[in-house]
Amino acid sequence: MSKIPEPTIERLVLYSRPLETLLRTGTLVISSGKLARLCGVNAAQVRKDLAYFGEFGVRGVGYDVRDLLHHITSILGSNRQWRLCIVGCGNLGSALLQNENFKSRGYFFVAAFDLDSRRTGKELPGGLTVEAAEQIQDAVKERAIEVGVITTTRDRAQRAANLLMQAGIRAVLNFASTHIRAPECCLIENVDFTVKLENLAYHLSKTG
Amino acid sequence: MSKIPEPTIERLVLYSRPLETLLRTGTLVISSGKLARLCGVNAAQVRKDLAYFGEFGVRGVGYDVRDLLHHITSILGSNRQWRLCIVGCGNLGSALLQNENFKSRGYFFVAAFDLDSRRTGKELPGGLTVEAAEQIQDAVKERAIEVGVITTTRDRAQRAANLLMQAGIRAVLNFASTHIRAPECCLIENVDFTVKLENLAYHLSKTG
DNA sequence: GCCTGTGAATCCATTCACAGCT
DNA sequence: AGCTGTGAATGGATTCACAGGC
């Protein structure tokens, strides 16, 4: 089996979204061309991406919506539940804890920590209570947490990551706008809206 | 002048962050190798990225920190202030309005809208009051808003974008996890943490 | 006619490797 | 000796174009 490009994985998530809608609205079959337009990508791209994982379509017809969606969620590993914790319970962290996009896709926050001990004990919307950083080690093991979400300030992000990694976490979603150093075995995904924003600014100032 | 790769722009933002820290801590000069390590990229990459815009370094020495930072912010257009508005004043929107990363880099929210009229008039942390969608057209013009930030639910994102574009906005930062269709003239940048999260899940379930 | 699956071709970005400067 | 700037080489990913099946 050949190696699968990283961008392909990201696009699979993209494809799954309109598919969910199509399933709800009762569309049974969709062509690569139509799905491509819904996601803003090239039709051949859609076909190639899917072909990495099998032959899901029918020539001359298209893809069965329900079928394809099941295949994709199964490939992505989102056909099961995942347990998350958050480190950094400021505004952004609190907002994420309440965000429906996590729950609805099977991602559940089961712990919330903060490196600032003054926040310990604070009750958060969503039912969690802020725990101290010292609890990370035990909580990760006892509650079988697999993914850590970092929403601290920039200067605390590396420390947060270190604590998570020491506790055995191997996947981190980092919202702090800084590069986190980590060994190969630990995956870090960065969500950095300041990068995207400055990107917009660049293009605006270029075109006048 | 040759065409500048999109990833290069994103990395310039990345470079600017450690440079700010270095400037504060009094480091005068930095080599591409050291800057690269701080950002988790290749040294040749740093040099090539910078070389697109000029010869900022000194052979045998490195880059002057203050100088390089000024060059980068000037290239990115972040040496001036930008006026933003937000559409969608739920938890995420409210959190972003309070987020220091915007202000500290010269991005100021000057209006907040919501497509749900029941939210109109609500006061938000940060000093803004929720305005109705019908106000977008006038507000964008009168307050010289250049960038729109969408934090609505998925099903309202396209409508939000249409309103912004009709009002003359040509740059949109989209936090809703859906693809927004827009003409060439309007730039859309997507910040989608569900994509990153599912990406992590994929890699975790692959490696066991 | 319409649509998928896929080798081939193209395009783009990253990395290498070294000449040239301090 | 150390570091930048850059052509050349490499490595990937996207798109094209068409054979094969409905």
Side-chain angles (χ1 to χ4, degrees):
Chain A
M1 193 218 235
S2 67
K3 200 143 192 200
I4 289 142
E6 200 63 18
T8 291
I9 305 301
E10 305 221 339
R11 279 191 300 267
L12 287 184
V13 184
L14 240 62
Y15 304 156
S16 73
R17 254 106 65 152
L19 286 174
E20 285 169 3
T21 310
L22 290 166
L23 186 63
R24 253 202 318 276
T25 57
T27 306
L28 298 175
V29 172
I30 188 153
S31 68
S32 61
K34 284 193 184 139
L35 185 54
R37 219 165 318 123
L38 287 171
C39 301
V41 303
N42 178 290
Q45 184 90 82
V46 172
R47 295 198 297 276
K48 182 141 283 190
D49 284 341
L50 297 175
Y52 280 113
F53 300 94
E55 303 203 2
F56 303 143
V58 181
R59 288 170 195 235
V61 180
Y63 300 89
D64 181 277
V65 170
R66 174 185 301 270
D67 223 47
L68 183 55
L69 184 55
H70 282 165
H71 276 301
I72 290 178
T73 53
S74 147
I75 292 162
L76 291 174
S78 45
N79 56 346
R80 73 166 183 88
Q81 297 195 352
W82 293 88
R83 298 163 72 82
L84 321 180
C85 71
I86 202 163
V87 185
C89 299
N91 296 317
L92 184 58
S94 303
L96 291 180
L97 287 173
Q98 294 172 79
N99 195 292
E100 281 301 322
N101 286 317
F102 288 98
K103 266 202 270 300
S104 69
R105 296 182 158 257
Y107 297 88
F108 294 91
F109 286 103
V110 298
F113 307 99
D114 205 294
L115 300 193
D116 184 345
S117 59
R118 283 171 299 182
R119 283 225 182 99
T120 308
K122 197 178 134 198
E123 283 184 31
L124 297 167
L128 292 175
T129 302
V130 179
E131 299 174 64
E134 293 76 35
Q135 303 296 317
I136 293 180
Q137 185 84 17
D138 289 348
V140 164
K141 270 151 202 171
E142 284 163 19
R143 290 173 230 172
I145 297 168
E146 289 164 297
V147 181
V149 178
I150 295 180
T151 46
T152 63
T153 51
R154 229 185 317 169
D155 50 310
R156 286 173 173 162
Q158 182 69 56
R159 196 145 60 89
N162 293 345
L163 287 166
L164 290 169
M165 292 187 289
Q166 277 160 33
I169 291 279
R170 287 170 18 161
V172 169
L173 191 62
N174 173 38
F175 283 82
S177 55
T178 187
H179 173 247
I180 288 177
R181 263 165 294 177
E184 282 277 321
C185 63
C186 186
L187 271 154
I188 312 266
E189 285 283 339
N190 297 295
V191 181
D192 194 332
F193 49 82
T194 69
V195 171
K196 303 300 181 97
L197 190 56
E198 306 235 42
N199 210 332
L200 287 174
Y202 166 76
H203 286 289
L204 280 183
S205 40
K206 216 182 40 168
T207 62
Chain B
M1 193 218 236
S2 69
K3 201 144 192 197
I4 290 143
E6 200 61 20
T8 290
I9 305 301
E10 306 220 339
R11 278 191 300 267
L12 286 185
V13 184
L14 239 63
Y15 302 155
S16 72
R17 255 108 63 155
L19 285 174
E20 285 169 4
T21 310
L22 290 167
L23 186 62
R24 252 201 318 276
T25 57
T27 306
L28 298 176
V29 172
I30 189 154
S31 67
S32 61
K34 284 194 185 136
L35 185 53
R37 218 164 320 121
L38 288 171
C39 301
V41 303
N42 179 290
Q45 184 89 81
V46 172
R47 295 199 297 275
K48 181 141 283 191
D49 284 340
L50 297 175
Y52 281 114
F53 301 95
E55 303 204 0
F56 303 143
V58 180
R59 289 169 195 233
V61 180
Y63 300 88
D64 181 277
V65 170
R66 174 186 300 270
D67 222 48
L68 183 56
L69 184 54
H70 281 165
H71 276 301
I72 290 178
T73 52
S74 147
I75 291 162
L76 292 174
S78 45
N79 55 346
R80 72 166 183 88
Q81 297 194 352
W82 294 88
R83 299 162 72 81
L84 322 178
C85 71
I86 202 163
V87 185
C89 299
N91 295 318
L92 183 59
S94 302
L96 292 180
L97 287 173
Q98 294 171 80
N99 195 292
E100 281 300 321
N101 286 317
F102 288 97
K103 267 202 269 300
S104 69
R105 295 183 158 254
Y107 298 88
F108 294 92
F109 286 104
V110 299
F113 306 100
D114 205 295
L115 300 192
D116 184 344
S117 58
R118 284 171 298 183
R119 284 225 182 100
T120 309
K122 198 177 133 198
E123 282 183 33
L124 298 167
L128 292 174
T129 303
V130 179
E131 300 175 63
E134 294 76 33
Q135 303 295 318
I136 293 180
Q137 186 85 18
D138 289 347
V140 164
K141 270 151 205 174
E142 284 163 19
R143 290 174 229 173
I145 297 168
E146 290 164 297
V147 181
V149 177
I150 295 180
T151 46
T152 62
T153 51
R154 229 184 318 169
D155 50 311
R156 286 174 174 160
Q158 183 69 56
R159 196 144 60 88
N162 293 346
L163 287 166
L164 289 169
M165 293 189 287
Q166 277 160 34
I169 291 279
R170 286 170 16 162
V172 169
L173 192 62
N174 173 39
F175 283 82
S177 56
T178 187
H179 173 247
I180 288 177
R181 263 165 294 177
E184 282 278 321
C185 64
C186 185
L187 270 156
I188 312 268
E189 284 283 339
N190 297 295
V191 181
D192 194 333
F193 49 82
T194 69
V195 170
K196 303 300 182 95
L197 189 56
E198 305 235 43
N199 210 332
L200 288 174
Y202 166 77
H203 287 289
L204 281 183
S205 39
K206 216 182 42 168
T207 62

